[in-house]
Amino acid sequence: MMAAQRRGLNDAVTRMWSFVAPAYDLPFLQRWVYRPPHNEVIAQLRAHGSRRIADIACGTGILSDRIERELHPDEIYGVDMSDGMLNQARARSGRVRWLRAPAEQLPFDDGTLDAVVTTSAFHFFDQPAALREFHRVLRAGGLVAVSALSTRQPRLQVPSANRWKPQHNASPAETRALFEEAGFAVSDQHRIRRPAWARIVSDLITVGTKR
């Protein structure tokens, strides 16, 4: 029953993002909402020296394209479930390999990637399943960097009984526990740096390496 509910919610979220894909690239959204976590992720990838990278829930491909242009990895994959998003991503870049797949079932062999990243989407995933899958596809010492909505007020947390129905904005402590349970050693966790007036967007980046 839970698996069927999860699939239904995934399908609903996917249809929603296909519908809103044309608005996703609006400059003000990209500059003030999405660029700050993208900057953080690129800094982590650069420091790690990752050469084979997958951007999960890549949307219209802005981050994947930046990774390709700024870091010049050997392989960069943009993975998403929305055909609308992927259509725009393919028009953006022919150098990124665009793939359609859910975060919980990635189309990569075990231990083949140096880094897996995701921004502004983790709250929609089945979080334990997605992290287990990230762990599976990474080599030993591989990097995972997750930026996601995370409320600053514990009383605003969705009750645990309602997790991932349809989204769950995990607390910092909960996110850290999820990483560790999946087999990652957490190396960094902090709020995304934003201008004071933009901090209504309360997101957290958590970074780990595969043990």
Side-chain angles (χ1 to χ4, degrees):
M1 184 63 175
M2 288 296 295
Q5 289 177 336
R6 182 72 240 170
R7 284 194 299 272
L9 289 167
N10 282 344
D11 290 345
V13 170
T14 299
R15 288 193 299 271
M16 177 192 73
W17 283 113
S18 292
F19 178 75
V20 303
Y24 186 80
D25 288 349
L26 289 173
F28 80 92
L29 276 178
Q30 287 303 321
R31 180 174 182 181
W32 300 115
V33 177
Y34 297 113
R35 188 177 297 173
H38 290 181
N39 290 343
E40 298 254 6
V41 164
I42 286 174
Q44 293 287 343
L45 291 170
R46 181 177 285 113
H48 184 258
S50 307
R51 304 305 304 163
R52 299 183 305 278
I53 304 165
D55 175 20
I56 311 303
C58 65
T60 62
I62 290 176
L63 175 58
S64 303
D65 181 48
R66 278 191 63 187
I67 291 170
E68 193 281 326
R69 289 186 291 104
E70 296 179 24
L71 302 182
H72 309 292
D74 297 333
E75 300 172 15
I76 171 64
Y77 300 91
V79 183
D80 204 278
M81 278 294 290
S82 165
D83 289 325
M85 290 290 189
L86 287 172
N87 287 339
Q88 289 188 226
R90 292 186 183 102
R92 183 182 304 282
S93 175
R95 296 178 298 275
V96 178
R97 303 184 192 184
W98 307 107
L99 303 172
R100 188 179 188 277
E104 301 86 356
Q105 194 173 1
L106 297 175
F108 305 108
D109 292 336
D110 296 358
T112 56
L113 298 177
D114 295 324
V116 173
V117 302
T118 185
T119 61
S120 307
F122 187 66
H123 40 280
F124 290 122
F125 298 167
D126 179 334
Q127 294 163 1
L131 285 169
R132 288 193 299 269
E133 189 70 345
F134 297 173
H135 189 273
R136 180 187 69 78
V137 302
L138 284 170
R139 64 168 176 79
L143 178 83
V144 60
V146 172
S147 167
L149 295 176
S150 177
T151 180
R152 296 173 188 269
Q153 300 297 326
R155 66 178 179 275
L156 297 180
Q157 284 293 109
V158 177
S160 59
N162 294 327
R163 285 186 294 182
W164 315 299
K165 303 179 188 176
Q167 73 175 64
H168 177 58
N169 302 334
S171 68
E174 184 178 6
T175 302
R176 181 179 289 270
L178 287 167
F179 268 56
E180 292 172 349
E181 288 166 8
F184 292 105
V186 175
S187 57
D188 189 12
Q189 185 182 68
H190 60 266
R191 294 284 172 186
I192 299 295
R193 301 173 181 92
R194 295 180 178 277
W197 66 267
R199 289 176 189 165
I200 190 172
V201 181
S202 181
D203 46 357
L204 181 82
I205 186 167
T206 305
V207 182
T209 54
K210 179 176 177 175
R211 292 197 291 258

